[in-house]
Structures are given as structure tokens and as C-alpha cells.
Amino acid sequence: MGVFEGDVTVVAGDAEHAARAVLRSWTGQPEDVASDAVPGMGEDVPAALAADWNGTLEVADADVVEGIMGADAPHLRLPDGRVGDFTVAHRYIGTTHLMIEGSGRPPF
């Protein structure tokens, strides 16, 4: 399991927004995959394992929340430049917090 807590940049359309993120990832381990699960995989099994990551974003204001929710393909950029695509899973009404679900490998 990986954890990231810190400042990120959310890219939503042409706009970039500062945000505070708390993210967690769960990635399968090689021993979780049967040796014959994918024929011919061998040492490439770790790359084929499913990854799941999610977390929360806290942004500046309701306008930023709306901008992120209205974007077609939002992603976040960590301070070291790594990027991860996400979708908004839940908006906490009356706050500037969003619950997100990542797509693909976790960027942390």
C-alpha cells in the first residue's frame, strides 16, 4: 500500500488549481497471481497486476470544485512531476472536498 499526503496541482481542462491531497493505493502482489494466470507473463507479472488508488482533494473554493467536476479528463500532478488521471467519485456538499478514484497505476 502506498500513501501520499501533500500539495498537488489539479489540471482540469485548460485550468490548473492548487489542492491538498490525501491518497492511498492498493496494488496486487506477485504472489497473489497464479503462475498460470496469464500464459507467458513470467517476470512481467508485476506490471500486469491491477492497481487501485483513491483519496480526497481539498481545493480553494466552490468554483474550483465545479471546474474539476466539469472537466472531461482531470488529472493531478505531484510536486515531483508524476501524473495520475482520476474521476470524481463524490462531492461533499457544502465543502471544497472531493473524493476521487484514480485511473491506472498510482502516481505515488
Side-chain angles (χ1 to χ4, degrees):
M1 179 169 86
V3 176
F4 174 86
E5 184 172 347
D7 295 328
V8 298
T9 301
V10 176
V11 181
D14 294 334
E16 293 189 2
H17 308 284
R20 180 83 177 157
V22 178
L23 308 171
R24 289 181 171 59
S25 68
W26 295 264
T27 304
Q29 299 299 313
E31 59 270 15
D32 296 337
V33 178
S35 60
D36 61 350
V38 182
M41 286 302 291
E43 63 274 356
D44 294 331
V45 169
L49 293 172
D52 184 29
W53 64 278
N54 61 31
T56 60
L57 295 175
E58 181 180 2
V59 298
D61 57 43
D63 290 338
V64 174
V65 169
E66 294 297 330
I68 293 170
M69 292 187 66
D72 287 333
H75 60 275
L76 55 85
R77 184 172 59 240
L78 277 60
D80 65 4
R82 292 179 288 173
V83 175
D85 295 331
F86 69 89
T87 57
V88 176
H90 181 76
R91 175 185 184 179
Y92 295 98
I93 301 299
T95 73
T96 58
H97 289 82
L98 297 171
M99 180 178 288
I100 63 169
E101 293 183 4
S103 302
R105 305 289 297 169
F108 51 94

